[in-house]
Amino acid sequence: QVRERLKQQVAEMKEKFPGFRPGLAILQVGNRDDSNLYINMKLKAAAEIGISANHIKLPNTATEAEVLKCIASLNGDPAVHGFIVQLPLDSDKPINTEKITNAVAPEKDVDGLSSINAGKLSRGDLGDCFIPCTPKGCMELIRQTGIQVAGKRAVVVGRSKIVGAPMHDLLLWNHATVTTCHSKTSTLAEEVAKADILVVAAGKAEMVKGEWIKPGAVVIDCGINHVPDSTKASGKRVVGDVAYSTAKEKASYITPVPGGVGPMTVAMLMQSTVESAQRFLEKFQPGKWNVQYNQLTLKMPVPSDIEISRSCIPKPIDQVAKEVGLLPDEVELYGQTKAKVQLSALRRLQDQPDGKYVVVTGVTPTPLGEGKSTTTIGLVQALGAHLHQNVFACVRQPSQGPTFGIKGGAAGGGYSQVIPMEEFNLHLTGDIHAITAANNLVAAAVDARIFHELTQTDQALYNRLVPSVSGVRKFSDIQIRRLQKLGIHKTDPEALTKEEINVFVRLDIDPATITWQRVLDTNDRFLRRITIGQSPTEKGFSRTAQFDITVASEIMAVLALADGLDDMRTRLGRMVVASSKRGEPITADDLGVTGALAVLMKDAVKPNLMQTLEGTPVFVHAGPFANIAHGNSSVLADKIALKLVGKDGFVVTEAGFGADIGMEKFFNIKCRYSGLRPHVVVLVATVRALKMHGGGPAVNAGVPLPKEYMEENLQLLAKGCSNLNKQIQNAQMFGVPVVVAVNAFKTDTKAELALVVQLAKEAGAFDAVECTHWAEGGKGAVALAQAVQRASQAPSNFRFLYNVELPVTDKIRLIAQQIYGASDIELLPEAQEKVTLYTKQGFGNLPVCMAKTHLSLSHDPEQKGAPTGFILPVRDIRASVGAGFLYPLVGTMSTMPGLPTRPCFFDIDLDPVSGEVNGLF
């Protein structure tokens, strides 16, 4: 009856919440035969009822710490509603059983063995605890007799924590008068004779005699004992604690052994699991997070970003992780406010449907920026804290160079920020430092290899590359790969000919073709061109080189586009650092450095978890340049976030610079490699930027805005909306609905904001909305969030702009004409040579990542609005083969910024007492 009832309840849950199933976990240590038998009974019952049961088996060598770690993982798994530890623990190591049972989360302790559940039962809190399954089953059997428990005299023989003691409490709180007896009770027969209800759990074969029993008593026998029986094949039979044959003559009801209490114990375990699942559903909707949002206290005028950040106390980051459905063993804490997320989370969630994918981009910006990051954070705060949707922001990690240089931080601003902002803007978890180390290891390997090849014979090189250890030479795995690349299919180092040794040991790098530079995460203009190798120990080998800023490293782009450790390792290995004198590409794998790079990057590949001011989750991961690279946060962060939010949730990510650069690369490069398909484009526009595009005076950082930007000028604004129109068209070219977010500044008038909204809709935007999230947080972006929700339901016929199989020149031309508005392109001689070279080397089918100014749709930063009819000059083309794209260079740009006259670090200091970072970011 119990099983049929539970089966019906589970079916109703599944119907009401599709995809939901009560989950039971059974943790076993060792391999006892009796435990295996009991577990199989439980698994069979769970399958019959429709419960998802998981049997976790640890070896008998498991330590207490290993068992506790497993318990912690199961405690944190939202798919597990009931959880038992099969006793006894069969381990060779000393394990405290009490400590183990108390480690099980009380809300999942369906065996009712934890001290918390036992304490609640003893206090009579029956509705707020789990009762051990055997006493619970006994009570159900007593109820089935139809007798009234209240007022009856009950005797419990046995005082174990599993049966006797909880049975006493259960009968007591059902208003029976209860006596507990045990092996030391001197008047046991007399006490048993008084019982209207007798429960025996003493563990002694037929200890209670039939003649002791009161006529008409209800007898529950919990004992399982083996006694000799020569008539049985096994030589023994199972009996209870009560002499059944004589007791049944006096009792009104009696449970047989076997077949009485045992099956009810299993049934009660199933019932407790279903009850736990029902409690879970009452508290949490499947797929719906239970997030504690922070309430903002808005001030006017709006304080500084650092003051706002400090005014909000972040939630412990492990709480944020739990709220979004991450398990404890999937989270590596870096203090209280940031954590790394293990890639195992993605594997665990691989069968879950993805949420809605939203990319935030913008019109062609002024040098001051138009608030894409702020809009991204404001939008997720609105979707989460105000509309109660599952939502994740995925943003890039900022470089320390601009943080201490001219830009300051990149955590958003005002009341739409990632916090703590100083953690966000500084070292975070060290990813950029890992990239610096990995990049410079490659650079060192390049120059060291050239040096050694110049100064050693083939045999000397071979002896050092494949040394004899204890008289035995052996190729490493990476050397085997190089041999195979060379067409040498030998694994015995002694078998190579002189000619084979020559091609194996000599990369023959042409120094003039080296494209790999050293990097540093600091703005330092004097490292833009340097001479290396001037020490006498380098024997005259010197060359001109340079430093780039770390985020310009190809390794950063690799990190952002990799979809796992193996993929990252493969991409790192195929990075091209130079060409040989024969014109063949030299890769990191050829240098033998791939494995070392993967080791340096093994932690950096894990996304970083933080939170917004209003308590919504944020992944901060990767920060590639948006000109020579694709300018988007990591594929891995997006993929994990899309699984965590569920099919009705939202993931909002930001693409660097304007839509012509960051958005185009997001679609054509990031989405092409990730396989993800976006649902909505949010295009950020400001009155300031559009006035500039209408012919307004130049806007520069560090100087006051000209009066044209401080006063209403609808004519100038309307003219500048040509840029907005073009960027809307650019987004629509990819088949994705566009919502325009008009980021309002205090100098904007109502008429100006209304005009931008009107013209955006006339240009074909799905919707256009005024936003005040900088001053009001999520509240100021609710209308935007609602528009995004509606747009996400609209048809999205996503498509790429070009087929990668097209010739390189055709791909460049398509982007120039369709996205920028050019009439044609002009490849300068160096660029034409690279087209020929990369096509010959087999890289012609890579996507194209245009490196041009972000201050104009054209190559000329002075051309504002939506220029047309221009010829786009391409002066050079370079390859990021590991990342997976070619990047044509349009115009001139530096990959190592310099410091201004008054850098941001003038305003940054440390409080020597509190240790807090002071100053403006």
Side-chain angles (χ1 to χ4, degrees), residues 493-511:
E494 305 298 341
L496 267 63
T497 65
K498 287 185 177 181
E499 292 76 14
E500 289 171 337
I501 288 174
N502 174 265
V503 295
F504 172 71
V505 301
R506 296 205 175 272
L507 299 180
D508 205 20
I509 295 170
D510 180 354

Side-chain angles (χ1 to χ4, degrees), residues 632-714:
N632 286 264
S633 59
S634 79
V635 165
L636 278 169
D638 290 2
K639 284 191 169 185
I640 296 173
L642 284 163
K643 295 298 183 186
L644 288 170
V645 299
K647 66 182 181 66
D648 297 321
F650 291 84
V651 170
V652 182
T653 190
E654 177 194 346
F657 293 157
D660 55 307
I661 300 179
M663 182 196 71
E664 181 270 317
K665 295 173 182 180
F666 171 81
F667 289 144
N668 282 323
I669 298 175
K670 184 176 181 180
C671 290
R672 195 185 297 271
Y673 282 121
S674 70
L676 300 173
R677 297 295 177 262
H679 294 81
V680 184
V681 171
V682 173
L683 184 69
V684 179
T686 64
V687 168
R688 178 181 68 195
L690 296 176
K691 281 183 176 179
M692 179 192 71
H693 288 296
V699 175
N700 294 300
V703 297
L705 283 173
K707 65 180 180 63
E708 286 84 353
Y709 299 99
M710 312 298 287
E711 301 170 353
E712 185 174 288
N713 190 329
L714 298 179

Side-chain angles (χ1 to χ4, degrees), residues 463-591:
N463 289 342
R464 286 177 171 84
L465 287 169
V466 193
S468 175
V469 179
S470 301
V472 179
R473 288 184 194 264
K474 185 180 179 182
F475 290 125
S476 66
D477 290 343
I478 202 166
Q479 289 176 327
I480 293 288
R481 289 203 298 273
R482 171 148 174 80
L483 288 167
Q484 291 171 345
K485 179 180 176 181
L486 294 169
I488 302 171
H489 301 288
K490 296 179 180 178
T491 56
D492 180 4
E494 305 298 341
L496 267 63
T497 65
K498 287 185 177 181
E499 292 76 14
E500 289 171 337
I501 288 174
N502 174 265
V503 295
F504 172 71
V505 301
R506 296 205 175 272
L507 299 180
D508 205 20
I509 295 170
D510 180 354
T513 67
I514 295 172
T515 55
W516 197 267
Q517 309 300 342
R518 288 163 173 82
V519 298
L520 185 70
D521 195 30
T522 301
N523 287 8
D524 190 345
R525 65 191 314 122
F526 288 94
L527 294 176
R528 289 172 180 171
R529 187 167 294 276
I530 59 173
T531 302
I532 61 172
Q534 293 190 322
S535 168
T537 56
E538 310 323 310
K539 301 180 181 180
F541 171 63
S542 66
R543 67 180 182 88
T544 300
Q546 68 185 58
F547 270 80
D548 293 338
I549 196 161
T550 299
V551 291
S553 170
E554 184 178 350
I555 296 177
M556 177 63 88
V558 165
L559 175 66
L561 288 170
D563 69 359
L565 266 173
D566 188 53
D567 182 50
M568 180 183 72
R569 186 176 177 281
T570 300
R571 289 174 181 269
L572 290 170
R574 70 178 185 227
M575 295 185 305
V576 174
V577 300
S579 292
S580 71
K581 292 173 182 176
R582 298 181 297 277
E584 297 164 347
I586 303 298
T587 66
D589 224 37
D590 293 326
L591 287 167

Side-chain angles (χ1 to χ4, degrees), residues 19 69 88 121 152 188 332 401 405 446 521 541 622 661 779 835 875 907:
K69 182 180 179 182
L121 174 58
K152 294 292 189 295
L188 181 60
E332 297 176 10
V446 170
D521 195 30
F541 171 63
I661 300 179
K779 176 185 173 184
V835 168
R875 64 178 178 86
D907 302 305

Side-chain angles (χ1 to χ4, degrees), residues 773-790:
H773 45 274
W774 179 80
E776 297 183 294
K779 176 185 173 184
V782 167
L784 173 63
Q786 291 169 332
V788 167
Q789 282 182 298
R790 293 192 300 273

Side-chain angles (χ1 to χ4, degrees), residues 364 852-864 867 870-873 890-891:
T364 305
K852 78 167 188 71
T853 178
H854 63 291
L855 299 175
S856 172
L857 279 163
S858 76
H859 58 286
D860 181 358
E862 301 304 317
Q863 284 194 299
K864 305 301 182 183
F870 58 91
I871 304 294
L872 189 79
V890 179

